Amino acid sequence: MKPAAFAYHRPETRAEALALLAEHGEEAKIIAGGQSLVPAMNFRLARPPILIDINAVPGLDGVREEAGQLVIGARTRHATFEKPVTAGPLGTLLARVAANIAHTPIRSRGSWGGSVSHADPASEWCCVTRGLEAELVAESATGRRSIPAADFFQTIFTTALRPDELLAEIRLPLFGPDWHCGFAEYARRAGDFALAMAVVACRVEGGVIREARVGLGGIASTPVTSPEAVAALLGQAPSPALFAAAGAAGAAATDPDGDIHASGEYRQDLVKAMIRRALVQAFA
Amino acid sequence: MAGLPDEPMNWIGRNIPRLEDPALVRGEGRFVADIAVGSRAVVFVRSPVAAGVIRGIEKPDLPRGVLVITGGDVAALKPIVPRLGRFNYVAIEQPILPRDRVHYVGQPVVAVVAPTQREAEDIADAVFLDIEPEQAVVDLDSAAGPGAPVVHPMAPTNTIVEGRIRTPGLDAVLAESTIVEIDVRSRRQNASPMETRGGAASFDKASGRVSLHASVQMPHMLRTGIADCIGMPEADLRVVAPDVGGGFGQKMSLFPEYVLLVWLARKYRTEVAWIEDRRENLIASAHSRDQHHIVRGAFDGQGVMRGLDVEILANIGAFSCYPTTCGVEPLMALAEYAGPYKVAEYGTHARGITTNTAVMAPYRGVSRPVVSFALERLMEVAAKRLNIDPIEIRRRNLVTVFPHRTPTNMVLDEASYLETMEKAVEVADLPGFRARQQAAREQGRYLGIGFSVINERTGYGTPAFAARSMEITPGYERVEICMTPSGEVEARIGASPHGQGLRTTLAQIIAEEVGVDVQRIRIIHGDTDRTPYGWGTFASRSLVIAGGASKLAAGKLAQKLKRAAAVLLQGEESQVRLEAGMALIPGGASISLDTIARTVYHSAGPISEKIGYDLNEAATYDPEGTFSNACHVAVVEVDAETGNTRILRYIVVEDAGRLINPMIVDGQVQGGVAQGIGNALLEEIIYDADGNILTGSFADFIPPTMAEVPDIEVHHLATLTGATVLQAKGVGEGGSIAAPAAVINAICDALQPFGVQLFEMPATPQRVRAAIRAAQETSP
Ligand SMILES: Cc1cc2nc3c(=O)[nH]c(=O)nc-3n(C[C@H](O)[C@H](O)[C@H](O)COP(=O)(O)OP(=O)(O)OC[C@H]3O[C@@H](n4cnc5c(N)ncnc54)[C@H](O)[C@@H]3O)c2cc1C
């Protein structure tokens, strides 16, 4: 349970961090909260020769609102979201989601940016990032670019980030009061990675759902959206029957992966239940 | 619960706080890893394949001070070979490090010794095992079936141990009764003590002796086993179990790693230590309860079980554990299947099957969690089939007349099987629950209640082990007691507590006999240099056996003190009372025990002839055993959409005879139930078909946490048994024996509307959900 040997850098400015990344790129790994990377290194599943610790780099923490978006600094810890970080449905949603991530000590170190860069398909932040159609902002010594969530998650543990890039921020849409948001997941024990999860956001106008987003996690090699569940919701008035129908439609369109905790068939049952429950919560 | 004012202070029956806790909660305990600081680190390279031939072992360039030890280097070490004299037992040999073949993923193949843990892990990483894989057999039923790959050539059917019993009248009863047959599967467990295994061996150049500090439950047995493998005098080896962070049976066995540590320390005249990590513990320590039972109950029209016929298969892994042998699971099931029920006619065919998996070892309750799961499911299914209330069917079958002789010739001493169940029904408010259950169902919520009635064989001495024909027959315990010149009582015990609170309970027993405060009593354990030969702590035995020996030894010490007091006070020995550190005689004369102790040791001349020269005594106790009993009730809510089970309430009505310290008893029960809940719902070691283990961390092998374990209410009845000198019964395992049945019965009760019946533990959410789906698909 000791990692293989590695060199360690602790840059104190963003420029310095980006320069180190430009120099070491492929060889180096960023360490943020270390809550995914360090266990992998201790099992020697990851053997990065160089670690670049971004914890001393200023300006990577915290959230702000800007142009209709919630801008989340990549190093913002999970625990930050345990209380709503913004008024309105998004802040409440993120607080509900945060309570499902791991345990207190992990939440106090692990970061949003670390979660999405690690790209575990069962990560709550990955599901939210993908499901709510966030934008991700990456920086390198040569510039800055914005990547839509749809392009960011490529496969399990793999993102569109280049080896010389640092993820700087995540931008989520700030939903107005006409939006209803909900989240549900099923994990075997409190704090475990979920077997399946769903995040939903619906805009209601004149008693019917006019816009909807549904994201699913834990069922494929990346977090996914559910156009089928969205289609079932659009133009309909919210009701328990509608929520169940959306769950059924969303689940029917999935072909989840199986593992020792959940067969594909069982995960499909869970998807159905989680979409329904997330909707019930959204409209409660 | 302090003594009445005009009565002497009673120590027995009081909830005094555990004497061992202050150091532990201050973080001042001394565990093996604390003792290992500064030793050279040992890391094992373990087999990555389940079966194969070792073609070669490639070592990297070794820095100075680093050793890489292979099977060829330790060819002189004898293998581990526990033996049984009966039951078609095949004595298979477990090498310390293998030379030619490997038998399971995780088997130690190479030992790396380096100045630090990190260096040892780096070298281990660079050692290459060239192993040609062969076909492995992993699954229990396949291994027992025809044409399976053979794990050990001397056991061509993979059967290592096999027992049969058939009472003469069984066939007739089977022919004339209603047969209720169930097929029960228990998946593989890991006991998961909080502290993993580990040992630190150091060589003393002056004496030539080795001291092994190890996280173990049976230090004396370990010394015997290691000395036998190495061929060294036991006198040159000291084994110490310092503070030990739980064992649950996993730390009873002799493991190759410990033999190697002692061999290394002795050969290289150095200090070496191995601290197991969690991954190793999950993969390579010991597993349990991978069993398959086919159970046929023969019931008459009134629901009376007239006969029981069971087929038992136990996966014993790649080797046979020492000293209990792999008979421990199948033969315990064979002997104890009837549990608390009257069964006139009984048949069993029990087999231990070897496979290319980690070695099976006892785990809290051994086979009984599976047996009671099977029996309690059988009662439920039979009740349904015969249209009898499930509580009523138990009433008709529980043993109520004692002593009761079972079909396997065990004698059940006085107990309260029926009474604990009736009390549990009352505490659980069964009618009230049924009303709530009905109301919840109308809202689409599924509540259920499950009962489980068990007895627990505890405190059994050599006769019980001899019945299994073990070459090594554990059972008795010896306690050597002495009062020091300054008046403290030291008791040296062969038992080896590791969390049970024995320092407290034995002190209470001794305090009661000798009339001194518990704070003045020191229980010395877990050190072969300082304690008499004994069997350690396992099988719910220590309070009964070491406690019984403590009482007997302390009684003798009290007698000696009374004799001295009578001389010094010029009174009658028979009239001396010992109380609160004083010896008193009628009329008010008294003398402190401290003064007596000083006088005995330090005065000379004629008085010594009258009062003796020492305050040493000893006693050995070897009882037949006693059965404690309990009824557990679980109230659950099952989420029909996810298959999740939440335990809403958990009640235990326990009868452990006389309670020495009720708080400690409750702790034992609660801890056992927590593990039982893990067995019922969560924990499962999973191999793939090639024998690779898929549950190598606590992310995949998932013990319950505080969030999954409810408050556990414990109620007591007290049947004061005549079978033990303390009138006490053991309680170490009952919690984990009864819980799986109670929880899974509750799940089935909750899912009555679907007609779901579960016979597999753990009842994981995906299994529960699959059963609901299957029930929905078959129902119209
Ligand atoms: C017991 C346990 C339970 C857990 N349960 C859950 C759970 O239920 N749900 C869940 O979502 N997570 C869970 N986690 C994971 C946890 O949330 C991690 O904190 C998270 O996945 C990674 O965040 P981090 O900041 O710790 O990243 P690190 O571990 O430091 O890094 C993870 C990866 O991201 C890269 N990285 C980090 N920051 C950046 C950046 N700014 N730019 C580019 N690359 C970067 C690193 O190089 C590394 O590859 C659990 C972890 C543990 C140990």
Side-chain angles (χ1 to χ4, degrees), chain A residues 29-30 32-37 78 102 106 110-111 117 123-124 167 193:
Chain A
K29 274 256 170 222
I30 291 173
Q35 298 302 298
S36 293
L37 185 57
H78 309 327
I106 294 162
S111 65
S117 305
S123 142
E124 285 82 0
L167 179 64
F193 276 105

Side-chain angles (χ1 to χ4, degrees), chain A residues 136-196:
Chain A
L136 298 104
V137 178
E139 285 181 8
S140 69
T142 56
R144 185 178 161 97
R145 63 176 177 136
S146 172
I147 310 168
D151 299 335
F152 184 81
F153 296 104
Q154 299 196 327
T155 184
I156 184 164
F157 305 140
T158 310
T159 68
L161 287 174
R162 294 195 315 258
D164 65 336
E165 277 180 322
L166 168 84
L167 179 64
E169 53 197 37
I170 298 93
R171 293 170 166 259
L172 287 177
L174 268 175
F175 298 118
D178 50 347
W179 283 81
H180 298 256
C181 299
F183 177 82
E185 72 167 44
Y186 180 67
R188 292 197 56 193
R189 296 174 306 181
D192 280 345
F193 276 105
L195 303 182

Side-chain angles (χ1 to χ4, degrees), chain B residues 639-662:
Chain B
D639 179 338
E641 282 186 316
T642 62
N644 186 65
T645 298
R646 196 156 64 90
I647 301 176
L648 305 176
R649 189 173 178 202
Y650 202 101
I651 301 161
V652 178
V653 182
E654 174 77 38
D655 187 341
R658 184 182 301 288
L659 305 186
I660 308 304
N661 183 322

Side-chain angles (χ1 to χ4, degrees), chain A residues 252-264:
Chain A
T254 60
D255 182 14
D257 299 332
D259 60 29
I260 56 170
H261 298 294
S263 65

Side-chain angles (χ1 to χ4, degrees), chain B residues 30-99:
Chain B
R30 295 274 292 161
F31 296 84
V32 170
D34 298 308
I35 291 153
V37 173
S39 297
R40 294 211 269 169
V42 178
V43 165
F44 291 93
V45 181
R46 298 179 178 279
S47 175
V49 299
V53 175
I54 302 174
R55 294 258 174 258
I57 294 172
E58 289 170 28
K59 306 176 189 178
D61 292 338
L62 300 182
R64 270 182 67 85
V66 173
L67 295 166
V68 171
I69 307 294
T70 68
D73 299 318
V74 295
L77 294 179
K78 289 200 207 82
I80 299 171
V81 197
R83 287 173 202 278
L84 276 187
R86 279 167 61 199
F87 300 110
N88 299 333
Y89 181 77
V90 182
I92 45 179
E93 299 185 346
Q94 179 176 16
I96 303 307
L97 295 176
R99 267 176 298 165

Side-chain angles (χ1 to χ4, degrees), chain B residues 196-516:
Chain B
T196 55
R197 297 179 298 161
S202 69
F203 182 76
D204 177 49
K205 292 185 179 121
S207 65
R209 298 180 80 216
V210 175
S211 291
L212 174 70
H213 285 75
S215 185
V216 297
Q217 295 174 236
M218 295 176 101
H220 286 279
M221 189 71 259
L222 192 67
R223 183 174 72 156
T224 299
I226 294 171
D228 282 352
C229 286
I230 297 181
M232 66 185 283
E234 283 202 48
D236 286 350
L237 178 59
R238 173 187 182 197
V239 176
V240 181
D243 281 324
V244 172
F248 311 112
Q250 188 178 83
K251 294 178 180 170
M252 283 170 68
S253 294
L254 168 62
F255 291 101
E257 287 90 341
Y258 294 130
V259 178
L260 205 87
L261 288 176
V262 173
W263 179 84
L264 281 167
R266 203 158 170 256
K267 174 157 174 88
Y268 296 97
R269 302 165 63 85
T270 186
E271 295 184 3
V272 291
W274 161 67
I275 305 298
E276 184 182 54
D277 65 37
R278 184 60 64 187
R279 185 179 156 76
E280 280 182 292
N281 183 267
L282 284 168
I283 291 177
S285 60
H287 295 159
S288 314
R289 300 211 259 275
D290 184 351
Q291 297 190 11
H292 185 180
H293 300 190
I294 295 169
V295 185
R296 302 201 303 150
F299 290 84
D300 69 15
Q302 267 56 59
V304 174
M305 184 163 68
R306 313 234 345 258
L308 184 63
D309 188 14
V310 289
E311 178 82 29
I312 296 159
L313 285 182
N315 189 339
I316 67 114
F319 297 107
S320 182
C321 54
Y322 173 106
T324 59
T325 81
C326 65
V328 67
E329 280 197 3
L331 297 181
M332 178 186 287
L334 169 136
E336 300 183 25
Y337 220 97
Y341 296 106
K342 293 176 280 213
V343 179
E345 302 295 342
Y346 175 62
T348 322
H349 181 205
R351 280 176 288 164
I353 305 294
T354 183
T355 59
N356 295 110
T357 62
V359 181
M360 174 270 282
Y363 168 28
R364 200 172 199 171
V366 191
S367 284
R368 288 163 298 173
V370 190
V371 168
S372 86
F373 174 56
L375 271 183
E376 296 301 296
R377 294 297 300 124
L378 182 71
M379 286 296 156
E380 295 287 324
V381 174
K384 200 170 168 63
R385 172 90 82 82
L386 300 168
N387 205 14
I388 301 172
D389 176 80
I391 297 293
E392 180 56 30
I393 199 170
R394 289 181 171 89
R395 278 188 196 113
R396 293 179 191 175
N397 286 291
L398 288 170
V399 174
T400 49
V401 180
F402 301 95
H404 172 87
R405 188 171 289 275
T406 72
T408 53
N409 262 324
M410 298 187 312
V411 176
L412 308 186
D413 57 328
E414 313 91 290
S416 55
Y417 304 148
L418 190 62
E419 295 80 356
T420 46
M421 184 179 76
E422 302 294 3
K423 168 105 179 163
V425 168
E426 180 196 315
V427 174
D429 178 21
L430 190 51
F433 172 78
R434 290 290 175 213
R436 283 196 302 284
Q437 180 181 43
Q438 192 49 44
R441 274 182 194 166
E442 281 154 21
Q443 301 163 8
R445 290 174 53 214
Y446 298 95
L447 307 185
I449 193 165
F451 288 80
S452 143
V453 186
I454 61 127
N455 65 0
E456 178 190 358
R457 189 185 196 187
T458 71
Y460 42 106
T462 52
F465 291 97
R468 273 187 221 154
S469 291
M470 283 165 63
E471 181 187 49
I472 296 166
T473 308
Y476 59 84
E477 276 311 329
R478 184 166 176 79
V479 169
E480 292 172 358
I481 200 165
C482 105
M483 185 173 273
T484 64
S486 56
E488 300 79 38
V489 179
E490 293 177 340
R492 296 158 193 279
I493 68 172
S496 194
H498 43 278
Q500 293 84 355
L502 270 196
R503 271 189 236 164
T504 308
T505 47
L506 298 191
Q508 287 179 260
I509 292 165
I510 293 166
E512 182 93 3
E513 292 291 321
V514 183
V516 296

